[in-house]
Amino acid sequence: MRRVRNLIVVLGDQLTPTLSSLAAADPARDRVLMAELQDEATYVPHHKKKIAFLFSAMRHFAEELRALGWSVDYVKLGSPENQASFTAQLAHAIAAHRPERILVTDAAEWRVSQEIAAWQALFSIPVDRFPDDRFVCSTPAFRAWAKGRTQLRMEYFYREMRRQTGLLMDGDAPVGGKWNFDSENRKAAPVDIFMPRPSVFAPDAITAEVLSLVQARFAHHFGDLAPFWFAVTRADAEAAFAAFVDRALPQFGDYQDAMLTNEPFLYHAVISQYLNCGLLDPLRVCRQVEAAYRSGKVPLNAAEGFIRQIIGWREYVRGIYWLKMPGYERSNFFGHTRELPGFYWTADSDMACIDAAVTQTKEQAYAHHIQRLMITGNFAMLAGVDPHALHEWYLSVYADAYEWVELPNTVGMSQFADGGLLASKPYAASGAYINRMSNYCSSCGYDVKQRTGPMACPFNALYWDFVARNRTKIGGNPRMAQTVRTYDNFAPDERQRIAESAANFLANL
Ligand code: FAD
Ligand code: DLZ
Ligand code: SF4
């Protein structure tokens, strides 16, 4: 057998045929290594649907590469040559193939990038690392943008990305004369609204085999395996996205922040799991959305809102992650230490909003942004939950969760645990916000209109108790000052009732 020249290690979230490591190699002489790894499936106990999605997408990608002429060593979990970790699997492959060099595209997360950084010394083989060019903003470019700025605001970063990509630009000016149409995107959804569903894909033979494997090996992990309907090939992910553009995108902006019982997806795209493992290309989907706007199929507030999520938020949180790692994962501005309540796994909190978000998370490995931010995230911050414990929960339960995107959203945006690096104010809200944006409160045993007492919505007393507890930390924030003043104007006995209601609720958590 001819000696392999380059061995290309392709990680589970690198399912892109134009990947930088593959572009540097030659299918005729080089070999690809992919592996289903126990360590990767369990470094947090991932949702069963997430593991099944990724393993099936990986297996389909190996087929896609083979069809393009690549030789692929694909190591299934449970096969005799399977090892637990990237490093152990690579050692096994090096012994088998004796490659001259290892090629790898930089890992998306710190933990794995540290593992890769040790390979050259460990194996005494040159390891060529290539930047992951599937992002609009490289990590050095983000660092350069951030340098010297006292505040890193997404909005300014986003404008740079608009200029750089030319998306929704008329020359140097933003289309429509404004960069951001978010003020038009805050509508609550009427309960009888027509709701398009995300595309569903029946499991093929490869997926069926993976589903059996996951059921056998990870039965104790959180989440429902069935029904399994995610796309697992590039073609199907692209079809799912095209269907979203046709059916849901026109109203994406209007109802972006809305929540409805039994409507987990509303007008959201449900594509983050495809984008984050490389089945969809972020810039390409934005160009498709721009084309839909320019051809008159979708309004500007929808197109701009969607494009902002991808070239704005998604790129921005990645930049923050690589700017602040390691250490960012231990951020805890408020010094919160409470354990994560058990109902984050069991959905039996008796709070209709929490139970709706957790139930659909268990069923679908999905919740939309406002559910993550303003229901489960908001509650955890008000209740003083340890941000690291919450981070591990989000990283486990969503099909789209990878640390580079999940951690800044959890620690920075939802918990304000970085003290305001990412968010300009804590996303803290009482029941009134949830009542305005959802229909959850109408089926809840708690009364959203009451501030204190045993039947009062827990978010209310917890919200004011959070303000009271942290008044010195948040009072200087111009966007929180009015809230602190409102609390200060409560009569002393009302403040006392708030403290008692919050303490009673937390004591029974
Ligand atoms: P849509 O609402 O249809 O938005 C379109 C796309 O925009 C998404 O697919 C996503 O790629 C991108 N996007 C939107 N908001 C964000 C954001 N804040 N950060 C990054 N990308 C964004 N997103 C993840 O991809 N992985 C995570 O692990 C993750 N964890 C989160 C944890 C918390 C606490 C919060 C508040 C948000 C988190 N998000 C995460 C962001 C966001 O909730 C999801 O991207 C979104 O819900 C995915 O659903 P969708 O595809 O239907 O998105
Ligand atoms: C998330 C994940 C899981 C569950 N399993 C695997 C796996 O078996 N093999 C693999 O190569 N990658 C997996 N991944 C994704 C990796 O954790 C991901 O590549 C790292 O997070 C690097 O960003
Ligand atoms: Fe949630 Fe409070 Fe409304 Fe119940 S009343 S659904 S706890 S916001």
Side-chain angles (χ1 to χ4, degrees), residues 9-14 34-44 46 50-52 54-55 58 74-75 77 86 106-113 116 401-404:
V9 181
V10 173
L11 311 180
D13 56 357
Q14 299 183 340
M34 297 179 68
E36 296 168 5
L37 302 165
Q38 184 72 14
D39 283 5
E40 292 306 304
T42 56
Y43 69 89
V44 288
H46 299 290
K50 176 182 182 181
I51 301 176
L54 207 62
F55 283 10
M58 287 170 64
Y74 187 95
V75 190
L77 195 65
F86 286 120
D106 279 337
E109 43 184 45
W110 177 260
R111 176 183 60 83
V112 182
S113 104
I116 292 173
Y402 298 85
E403 193 181 75
W404 66 267

Side-chain angles (χ1 to χ4, degrees), residues 4-58:
V4 170
R5 189 185 61 161
N6 295 315
L7 187 64
I8 310 137
V9 181
V10 173
L11 311 180
D13 56 357
Q14 299 183 340
L15 310 184
T16 311
T18 52
L19 196 71
S20 50
S21 56
L22 293 169
D26 175 1
R29 299 178 59 193
D30 301 334
R31 211 170 173 87
V32 172
L33 172 66
M34 297 179 68
E36 296 168 5
L37 302 165
Q38 184 72 14
D39 283 5
E40 292 306 304
T42 56
Y43 69 89
V44 288
H46 299 290
H47 193 298
K48 291 198 272 294
K49 250 194 186 95
K50 176 182 182 181
I51 301 176
F53 163 66
L54 207 62
F55 283 10
S56 181
M58 287 170 64

Side-chain angles (χ1 to χ4, degrees), residues 351-353 431 434 440-441 444 446-448 457-459:
M351 290 177 276
C353 54
I434 296 170
Y440 294 143
C441 304
C444 185
Y446 289 111
D447 181 355
V448 72
C457 165
F459 281 81

Side-chain angles (χ1 to χ4, degrees), residues 268-272 275-276 309 366 369 372 400-401 406 409:
H268 292 274
V270 198
I271 56 160
S272 43
L275 284 169
N276 295 349
Q309 304 312 312
Y366 177 85
H369 187 65
R372 300 187 204 194
D400 60 19
E406 174 279 325
N409 269 299

Side-chain angles (χ1 to χ4, degrees), residues 81-382:
E81 63 275 27
N82 186 277
Q83 312 293 313
S85 69
F86 286 120
T87 301
Q89 198 66 59
L90 180 58
H92 194 268
I94 288 172
H97 298 300
R98 296 182 298 108
E100 289 167 22
R101 307 181 81 82
I102 307 299
L103 311 190
V104 63
T105 290
D106 279 337
E109 43 184 45
W110 177 260
R111 176 183 60 83
V112 182
S113 104
Q114 290 301 101
E115 190 173 340
I116 292 173
W119 285 350
Q120 186 152 307
L122 189 65
F123 298 120
S124 303
I125 295 181
V127 176
D128 296 344
R129 297 169 67 171
F130 299 88
D132 191 341
D133 56 11
R134 297 173 300 167
F135 291 89
V136 178
C137 184
S138 69
T139 46
F142 189 88
R143 229 170 251 284
W145 175 79
K147 196 164 180 218
R149 287 174 193 260
T150 44
Q151 287 200 315
L152 302 179
R153 289 292 162 255
M154 195 289 293
E155 184 60 29
Y156 297 110
F157 169 77
Y158 164 58
R159 291 177 191 181
E160 287 298 313
M161 294 300 102
R162 288 273 294 277
R163 289 192 188 97
Q164 185 181 313
T165 58
L167 281 161
L168 292 180
M169 296 296 289
D170 276 341
D172 293 337
V175 168
K178 280 200 301 184
W179 293 102
N180 183 319
F181 290 81
D182 221 11
S183 56
E184 296 171 28
N185 292 353
R186 307 252 161 79
K187 295 195 181 91
V191 283
D192 57 353
I193 196 167
F194 169 74
M195 213 61 74
R197 302 280 158 166
S199 306
V200 303
F201 300 88
D204 64 3
I206 292 179
T207 302
E209 190 183 295
V210 166
L211 291 173
S212 305
L213 173 81
V214 172
Q215 188 51 43
R217 291 216 166 215
F218 304 104
H220 57 291
H221 282 210
F222 174 75
D224 298 352
L225 200 47
F228 186 90
W229 52 268
F230 289 145
V232 289
T233 63
R234 190 171 323 285
D236 283 351
E238 282 171 0
F241 179 68
F244 159 74
V245 172
D246 277 351
R247 298 199 298 242
L249 179 62
Q251 283 174 293
F252 170 84
D254 290 355
Y255 300 120
Q256 208 179 331
D257 288 4
M259 296 172 281
L260 281 181
T261 310
N262 299 327
E263 289 292 351
F265 309 110
L266 288 107
Y267 289 91
H268 292 274
V270 198
I271 56 160
S272 43
Q273 70 279 23
Y274 308 141
L275 284 169
N276 295 349
C277 73
L279 289 187
L280 288 181
D281 177 63
L283 203 49
R284 194 169 129 103
V285 301
C286 289
R287 300 244 182 260
Q288 282 172 262
V289 166
E290 176 174 30
Y293 161 70
R294 296 222 185 244
S295 66
K297 286 191 195 145
V298 303
L300 183 54
N301 70 313
E304 186 283 315
F306 182 87
I307 286 172
R308 175 160 25 89
Q309 304 312 312
I310 307 245
I311 63 165
W313 282 111
R314 186 170 184 271
E315 296 283 333
Y316 170 76
V317 298
R318 175 174 182 260
I320 297 269
Y321 177 78
W322 282 102
L323 195 64
K324 291 293 162 187
M325 284 300 280
Y328 196 58
E329 75 287 6
R330 290 283 160 198
S331 310
N332 195 351
F333 178 66
F334 294 122
H336 286 161
T337 55
R338 184 176 299 282
E339 271 180 39
L340 188 73
F343 55 67
Y344 276 74
W345 303 105
T346 51
D348 57 356
S349 72
D350 293 335
M351 290 177 276
C353 54
I354 294 267
D355 291 348
V358 174
T359 300
Q360 74 168 71
T361 299
K362 177 173 164 292
E363 289 172 355
Q364 308 292 0
Y366 177 85
H368 71 69
H369 187 65
I370 295 301
Q371 294 177 302
R372 300 187 204 194
L373 185 64
M374 301 311 293
I375 306 288
T376 44
N378 180 26
F379 180 87
M381 181 169 65
L382 300 184

